Amino acid sequence: MSSHINLQLGWPSPRLYPAEQLAAAAAILSDPDVAKVALMYGPDLGYAPFRESVAKWLTSFYEPPSGSIPIERILITGGASQNLASILQVFSDPHITRRIWMVEPTYFLACTIFQDAGFADRLRGVPENEQGLDIEFLRKELAKFEYEASQNGVFHEIKPSSQYGKIFRHILYLTPTFSNPSAKTMSTPVREQLIALAREYDILLISDDVYDFLRWPAEDRKAHSIKLAPNPPRLVDLDRATSSDDSWGNSISNGSFSKIVAPGVRVGWAEASPKIILRLSQNGATTSGGAPSHLTSTFLDHLLSTGAMQKHIDEVLIPTYQSRYRVLMAALKTQLEPLGVRITTGAPYTIPADENTIVPVGGFFTYISFPPRLPSAGVIAKRAKEEYQLTFAYGEMFVVKGDETSVERSKQGFGNGARLCWAWHEQDEIEEGISRLAKLLKILLAEGSA
Ligand SMILES: Cc1ncc(COP(=O)(O)O)c(C=O)c1O
């Protein structure tokens, strides 16, 4: 057992990397015809066979209501972070894009990507609620902001529309399924309302759909006939179903193989309207050299098209994460809930249609709230690290940077909690981590009542 336990790390444990499968995929380079293609600059949209494989795989996983996903909707990227930066380069202009809305608590590393794109003073939080997003809060803030903007006169674009085609007035960033950090999943009605709002206010919804594939039953039920309730529709699916083929649309699904293959591959995909995909592929860094991560894309194509990737997800990742999840939940229930800690991951997003359908949980994280009598989550985290060699991500880390109102809201809600991750440590280490936290909380509770 490792002495330091880190429940903050959102990385898969190294033993879960499909190294052998990747080594087998790399052997394709021994064919000179394949090597010639794999080692040359790739096409701007990405390696075409891989785009086909991704489109097919996403179609079978999501079963989109508009039918199979055509290759024109798929772009190969260097992962979700790289692609977020590319999206901003192409579809935002700090003079025209007036606000970046981030669902809070937010994936904190995304804030820097927005700051780098010139939006340091424009980030604004939109609180989650049990259904995944406080849509009325967003509606009011948009209306208020648009009124104020209309009083301030016209701003001149930095990026000429003749070259850029489409600059969005607002951007909203979110992880609607198994969110990082809150583990919440947005309900279907809220997703539908969000699409309508995006149309009304010219918002580009950037949806990090990076955890969707890791899902298992919330409860341990043994019956054979039980099946998982379906995924809620992605924002891109709702957008596609209600817009014309030649429109820009208002959403991008930002996917990544970091969580389901290995972070080092730095490969992901974007799905959006063909118009958005084509424009995104024409950002300067891509036209100078082709799609990012071309060589690794060819390896991942081998994994995907041979079925090795899905086998790895089904036979290694899901069983491992599911067992760790159950151990974590049992430890939280027996050791922390009696101390007043609550699991706060929102309403389950699907009501089982019948007794044979079961609600899924998934992703990498759960979120807990500490009882009010304790010091701040930051203080608890500091003492956990110093006195118990236990690290976890604490609530204040997930405020939207530069938004004072987000800091204030955090004090009434998510700031008073912690994100716990099961991707890095084994079951016994997770249990040990929760025991250490329980010991610390007992001391803090005693100190508080002394
Ligand atoms: C919501 C979210 N988006 C993006 C990333 C990073 O993805 P990538 O490795 O593809 O850049 C992470 C990783 O923690 C994440 O949780």
Side-chain angles (χ1 to χ4, degrees), residues 10 78-82 107 173 175 180 208 210-211 255-259 263 266-267 365:
S81 310
Q82 178 275 337
Y107 169 50
Y173 170 80
T175 310
N180 178 3
D208 274 8
V210 301
Y211 295 106
S256 173
F257 291 101
S258 290
K259 314 295 170 188
R266 307 313 292 146
V267 183
F365 310 106

Side-chain angles (χ1 to χ4, degrees), residues 160-222:
S161 43
S162 54
Q163 184 183 346
Y164 283 85
K166 175 71 189 160
I167 298 291
F168 286 85
R169 194 164 164 82
H170 299 266
I171 284 175
L172 188 139
Y173 170 80
L174 72 169
T175 310
T177 300
F178 307 140
S179 181
N180 178 3
S182 72
K184 285 183 177 161
T185 293
M186 188 177 284
S187 71
T188 302
V190 173
R191 290 172 193 239
E192 288 165 349
Q193 291 172 52
L194 198 49
I195 289 288
L197 214 52
R199 298 251 165 84
E200 190 179 342
Y201 285 96
D202 193 27
I203 310 172
L204 175 61
L205 307 172
I206 304 176
S207 178
D208 274 8
D209 297 327
V210 301
Y211 295 106
D212 302 21
F213 308 88
L214 300 170
R215 57 201 307 272
W216 51 86
E219 294 161 38
D220 200 4
R221 296 219 319 242
K222 295 275 182 292

